[in-house]
Amino acid sequence: QRTFKFCPTLPTDLLCLGGSSVDLILRVPRLPRRDEKLVSQFVGRVPGGMVANTACAAARLGLTVGWAGALGDDDNGRLMRAGFAEFGVDDSYAAVVVGGVTDFTVILLDDSGERTILVVPTLPSPPPLTDSALAALRATRLAYTVPHQRDWFAPLAEAVHAGGGLVALDVETSSPAQGADLTAAVDQSDIIFCNRRGLKLMTGASSAPVGARALLERGLTCVVVTLGAEGAYAAVRADSSAVTCRVAGHVVPVADTTGAGDCLHAAFMKGWLAGWPLDRALKFANAAAALSVQQVGARAGYPTETEVEQFLVNGWNG
């Protein structure tokens, strides 16, 4: 087990790496069948990507946030940078690929607000760990990314831990690292965010309490499992036992669930860095996610801290 020394004077609360894309959003009456033409409605072209979304949500909630990753020098790359600027995310560590096509997704959104996402990676991944990026990692309280191969992830984790920070990892079944590389990334991390499918990928267990306990026993500090409309579950290692919390989902009008999990991760890290008790941090994160789904577009509904606190007091008032 590692012993960490938090440095509250570090210049960056959160440094996010990779996971950016431009979202092309289409509204469909239902998901298309094989060999079928289906008329869809163009909703918009907006900056997105799960790690980049988390960066923007965290900045909206008041954290000092940086982002490092690769962008093309195309219109989509410029759109991504404009999106970071809108939320106050420092993207000075971005690597611009001359002649590159920025990663994008096609999001099919049905009338219920649920969606299917087609991911189209086009640029080199993971983002390069330049000298300036490693220096920034040594000066951040939290680093947040997705699993990648060991020869990239190990120096990232080493740099963060050398500066007294923690590594937070978002694990999904589509994670770039699988097998031994995924295991190595998880074991070098401190906070894990996942859904049930990601939890099963790591532990073989779909049950949030069972899977989270297995991860804590491997040395993780905290595990947060998103449960969709059912809410969220979290567990924190405490001496020889664990502190756990589960919160129910909120009943709100759903316009688009894209980016809700990213918002929950950002809001939980807001509470974690503030030193809140586990139940307060998870309730805050769950409420932020409930607010985020009420507008179309991953970032359109991202709330401020004041808006989340008001929602926790007053609930949804229509």
Side-chain angles (χ1 to χ4, degrees), residues 203-220:
T203 68
S206 298
S207 162
V210 173
R213 182 171 63 251
L215 289 171
L216 294 184
E217 289 174 352
R218 285 165 57 178
L220 274 295

Side-chain angles (χ1 to χ4, degrees), residues 24-32 40-41 43 106-117 254-258 293 295-297:
L24 178 65
I25 307 173
L26 305 177
R27 187 177 296 281
V28 294
R30 55 173 171 75
L31 294 182
S40 60
Q41 176 188 357
V43 176
V106 179
I107 298 177
L108 305 180
L109 185 66
D110 68 20
D111 291 338
S112 73
E114 293 298 329
R115 77 281 188 267
T116 294
I117 302 178
V254 177
D256 185 0
T257 59
T258 307
V293 303
Q295 296 190 47
V296 175

Side-chain angles (χ1 to χ4, degrees), residues 199-243:
L199 187 68
K200 186 172 183 178
L201 179 67
M202 290 182 286
T203 68
S206 298
S207 162
V210 173
R213 182 171 63 251
L215 289 171
L216 294 184
E217 289 174 352
R218 285 165 57 178
L220 274 295
T221 299
C222 177
V223 179
V224 179
V225 184
T226 57
L227 305 173
E230 298 174 33
Y233 176 90
V236 173
R237 180 162 44 89
D239 298 324
S240 59
S241 60
V243 176

Side-chain angles (χ1 to χ4, degrees), residues 63 141 268-277 280 305:
L63 295 181
R141 300 175 69 194
F268 185 87
M269 289 188 286
K270 162 80 175 182
W272 182 273
L273 290 174
W276 295 349
R280 181 183 176 191
E305 181 178 2

